[in-house]
Amino acid sequence: MRKNDLIRCVWTGQALEPDSNFAAHQLHDRLGAGEVINVDLDPERSEKSHKHQFAFVRTAWMNLPEELKGAPFAKNEKTLRKHALIASGFCVTEMLALGCPRRAERAAATMSRLAARMSGYAVTEVQGTVANCHTPLSQSQRAMGGKVFQESKQAVLEWLADLLSVTPEALANAGRKQAA
């Protein structure tokens, strides 16, 4: 959903009302009197929560074990976060069945280059004659609502904590200290 499709409203306890004159004009321009619409309730996420995730990812990246520091996903904080999103299932997977393992290998290499160029990071794998390319979902406010962001944030936290052999609470607390 595009950001300009959203119209900010406030729940008064009895009705949803536009939160500004601009929002009221948007509703008036787009809806007729008595028109019925569906409302998708996905509250905005806080900037504080967004910053907290980036802080604990940075903390995790700075504390990676020596044997992982050379891994492709450990290049920087961004690639670590994107890899964690993919590893925890918050990704798009493209599959290409080619009928031949050698073709699948070549296709996976091409898919990886193109996907990495488009999304900044990709993980490809070949299973027999099938090439799979995984790209992380964007966590931008425009692309990911509050509920899904919280789910992905928790999954990334748990995956990183497991990678570092610490509890999710310990990593989250370290991130809060860094974000403060």
Side-chain angles (χ1 to χ4, degrees):
M1 182 180 295
R2 293 185 314 266
K3 190 75 168 172
N4 62 359
D5 286 342
L6 302 176
I7 299 174
R8 287 183 51 100
C9 294
V10 176
W11 177 248
T12 65
Q14 296 181 358
L16 281 173
E17 293 185 5
D19 78 339
S20 65
N21 286 339
F22 179 74
H25 287 294
Q26 282 183 303
L27 283 172
H28 179 59
D29 289 346
R30 292 170 57 185
L31 300 175
E35 191 169 339
V36 177
I37 61 167
N38 294 316
V39 177
D40 181 11
L41 297 177
D42 192 7
E44 289 186 13
R45 64 184 192 238
S46 73
E47 190 65 27
K48 185 177 177 181
S49 178
H50 193 78
K51 286 180 179 178
H52 176 240
Q53 179 187 355
F54 285 89
F56 73 67
V57 169
R58 179 170 175 63
T59 300
W61 180 71
M62 291 170 49
N63 292 288
L64 283 173
E66 277 304 313
E67 64 269 13
L68 294 178
K69 289 189 177 183
F73 63 81
K75 185 168 72 173
N76 55 45
E77 301 161 42
K78 192 181 223 179
T79 58
L80 180 61
R81 179 182 61 85
K82 289 181 176 193
H83 189 84
L85 283 165
I86 292 169
S88 57
F90 288 88
C91 62
V92 174
T93 300
E94 301 291 337
M95 299 170 65
L96 191 57
L98 293 146
C100 169
R102 279 189 54 220
R103 282 190 203 146
E105 290 287 343
R106 287 194 309 264
T110 302
M111 291 169 75
S112 181
R113 275 194 311 278
L114 293 174
R117 194 176 303 152
M118 291 176 65
S119 73
Y121 187 78
V123 173
T124 55
E125 61 187 357
V126 175
Q127 295 174 330
T129 61
V130 178
N132 297 298
C133 182
H134 312 281
T135 54
L137 293 178
S138 170
Q139 288 185 305
S140 72
Q141 294 222 4
R142 174 177 277 172
M144 188 179 280
K147 183 176 184 276
V148 176
F149 175 76
Q150 287 303 323
E151 292 169 359
S152 68
K153 177 183 170 183
Q154 184 64 36
V156 166
L157 175 67
E158 291 172 4
W159 189 84
L160 290 172
D162 187 53
L163 187 70
L164 298 174
S165 300
V166 299
T167 66
E169 295 77 22
L171 183 55
N173 289 336
R176 277 189 200 90
K177 289 175 187 170
Q178 188 180 40

